[in-house]
Amino acid sequence: MTAKPFTPEKAREILESLQQPVVFLGMATDWLALDWSVEHLSEILEQKPVRFRIGKTQEEKTPVFETECSYREATLGEFLSWATGQSEASAGPFRDLPLSDCWAYADYKYLAVLFEDRPAVFEGVAWSDFGYPGRNGRESTLWLGTAGANTPCHLDSYGCNLVLQVQGRKRWHLFPPDDTRCLYPTRIPYEESSVFSRVDVVRPDLQRFPDFSAARAHVVTLEPGQVLFVPRHWWHYVESLDPLTVSVNSWMEMEVDDEARVGEALTRTVVCALKTTPSADNADEWLNPTEGEVTSHDQNLQFLSLAVWACAGKQGGVASHKAPPTAAARPRKRGADRLPKNGPGRDPPASAPFGAHLVPVPPSTERGHRPKPRPLPQTAPPSRPGEGRDPHPSPPMTCWSAWFIPRSSPW
């Protein structure tokens, strides 16, 4: 077995010291997940239906939010037939969609759900190589789409992000937390743990969003075998470049997430209370499809109580870490219990060992500049055919309203 460029301990040390996105090369050369092409996955999943988000290729200067997309369920075999231009009969639910005008994206697909009856598949991903012992595909998410498929620009409230590119290429546009004002954040559409930008960062409307001109984009094209590290609270827009793309990611929980969960629970309580009040302003599609259903005010207050209790317990503010008995536990999105957490006691390296196996994602020097990581080392296997956070304080909870701007607002 070829030695990895960094030991798990060194990789974890690097991750905990970095405040900028980087690309790791040569760290996943022996991961079985690199064989997970769309064709291979379709053979494993056979007739299991997968939900796809459908969007239209456009040149408008507005983001394509998930609330504006249509959705279709299909097998990966049907998706593959459509994406590769095979017969309409074999494309199933995709047969009436013109490939030249549409893209399809199976995003946020948890491997634990997709492969619940095939647990051996989880071993194809080894985040333990990055210093997270025992962490594999069970806590990971699959992203599979066609050229043009994209995730609107957003930041994640919880944790940091590691992304393995498996098939095809994806372009990432990343912005540091300090650029938040320039990205015109909003909580509509509402999704727990996601703050969206109202700017189309690829085709920005600078008349509506003039401050975006001051944003510092870090742009990188991620290729098969490479792993991208997205620090906490970094904004990112992601777009598939090739006809078929597959990526796997995992959000790594951090100690500071406990405070962020309080802010998210408060935001949920207020947003749901305002948007469920009968009003002409509430006719929009404000709830992101990933949320499922609107939670009641009583439920939201219980979630808030639970989050405050847990956070206070971690900080030594209460005698017991147990949640109050009336607080119903709510499943966490993009975060999980049992994950290794960043904590004190680690001494960061004097400087990150940048080089052939650790490439920083620099800021673009001009619009349209596309920095790329260096090619894979010769010891790495050839590329396979063919991928939705720098420690930064969470915005004060009293300022949540600055992010709650109705989509219909001209501002």
Side-chain angles (χ1 to χ4, degrees):
M1 179 183 296
T2 304
K4 301 292 178 73
F6 305 107
T7 64
E9 295 76 18
K10 183 62 176 180
R12 181 70 178 266
E13 183 181 86
I14 293 170
L15 293 176
E16 294 189 349
S17 68
L18 287 172
Q19 299 184 18
Q20 68 181 105
V22 297
V23 175
F24 286 86
L25 296 95
M27 287 293 289
T29 53
D30 59 347
W31 290 17
L32 296 178
L34 290 181
D35 291 323
W36 293 358
S37 64
V38 177
E39 184 175 8
H40 180 72
L41 291 172
S42 69
E43 294 173 354
I44 298 176
L45 291 173
E46 298 179 327
Q47 297 302 307
K48 187 165 189 173
V50 177
R51 191 179 191 225
F52 288 84
R53 178 162 60 95
I54 310 298
K56 292 185 177 181
T57 305
Q58 62 176 33
E59 295 297 330
E60 299 177 9
K61 296 182 178 182
T62 56
V64 180
F65 290 112
E66 293 165 58
T67 51
E68 299 168 351
C69 295
S70 60
Y71 293 83
R72 302 195 181 191
E73 284 198 355
T75 65
L76 288 191
E78 292 169 332
F79 165 76
L80 186 61
S81 294
W82 174 72
T84 56
Q86 299 179 29
S87 67
E88 291 185 1
S90 62
F94 291 103
R95 58 181 173 271
D96 62 332
L97 292 177
L99 183 59
S100 59
D101 297 336
C102 301
W103 49 259
Y105 207 10
D107 49 1
Y108 301 109
K109 304 306 177 189
Y110 287 93
L111 296 184
V113 176
L114 277 180
F115 301 105
E116 57 185 341
D117 56 343
R118 296 173 178 266
V121 173
F122 303 147
E123 300 305 319
V125 179
W127 301 118
S128 54
D129 286 349
F130 287 86
Y132 295 89
R135 191 171 179 83
N136 58 22
R138 185 182 297 276
E139 298 87 6
S140 302
T141 310
L142 182 72
W143 307 73
L144 183 154
T146 59
N150 65 83
T151 303
C153 185
H154 67 285
L155 69 77
D156 298 316
S157 302
Y158 308 144
C160 59
N161 195 358
L162 284 174
V163 186
L164 168 70
Q165 189 63 30
V166 175
Q167 178 180 5
R169 300 167 300 147
K170 280 190 172 178
R171 180 166 293 146
W172 287 71
H173 298 249
L174 303 113
F175 302 85
D178 289 345
D179 281 355
T180 292
R181 177 184 61 84
C182 304
L183 289 160
Y184 298 83
T186 179
R187 293 313 300 258
I188 303 298
Y190 173 76
E191 177 183 73
E192 183 193 350
S193 82
S194 295
V195 181
F196 291 102
S197 169
R198 292 187 292 141
V199 183
D200 181 337
V201 299
V202 177
R203 296 171 292 273
D205 186 342
L206 296 180
Q207 289 188 330
R208 290 188 64 198
F209 308 113
D211 289 347
F212 180 72
S213 60
R216 298 158 294 167
H218 296 238
V219 184
V220 64
T221 298
L222 199 63
E223 302 189 5
Q226 299 175 346
V227 175
L228 174 67
F229 168 63
V230 182
R232 184 173 185 261
H233 285 182
W234 272 69
W235 294 83
H236 46 283
Y237 166 84
V238 191
E239 183 175 1
S240 297
L241 300 181
D242 291 324
L244 292 171
T245 64
V246 177
S247 51
V248 177
N249 88 299
S250 191
W251 289 277
M252 306 302 182
E253 194 173 62
M254 304 169 70
E255 290 287 357
V256 289
D257 290 345
D258 294 317
E259 295 181 14
R261 293 190 197 285
V262 176
E264 285 296 300
L266 179 60
T267 299
R268 168 181 286 274
T269 301
V270 177
V271 170
C272 287
L274 290 176
K275 297 302 287 183
T276 56
T277 301
S279 168
D281 294 332
N282 289 338
D284 58 336
E285 295 289 338
W286 63 273
L287 189 67
N288 215 49
T290 53
E291 284 299 304
E293 61 183 16
V294 180
T295 47
S296 70
H297 190 63
D298 286 343
Q299 287 177 308
N300 293 334
L301 289 179
Q302 288 184 2
F303 300 148
L304 176 58
S305 176
L306 177 62
V308 171
W309 190 275
C311 183
K314 295 287 181 63
Q315 297 178 355
V318 295
S320 172
H321 289 188
K322 293 183 179 179
T326 57
R330 180 173 190 277
R332 294 176 176 179
K333 288 186 57 205
R334 301 183 182 177
D337 296 321
R338 301 176 287 103
L339 307 191
K341 296 183 179 182
N342 294 354
R346 293 179 181 267
D347 296 323
S351 60
F354 295 129
H357 301 286
L358 183 67
V359 183
V361 181
S364 299
T365 56
E366 58 184 350
R367 187 175 297 278
H369 182 54
R370 300 288 186 261
K372 288 178 58 177
R374 301 174 189 178
L376 287 168
Q378 293 183 355
T379 56
S383 297
R384 310 284 163 163
E387 162 175 78
R389 295 168 178 296
D390 164 348
H392 184 75
S394 300
M397 288 184 290
T398 54
C399 294
W400 72 270
S401 58
W403 287 1
F404 177 61
I405 303 174
R407 291 271 312 288
S408 58
S409 169
W411 305 109

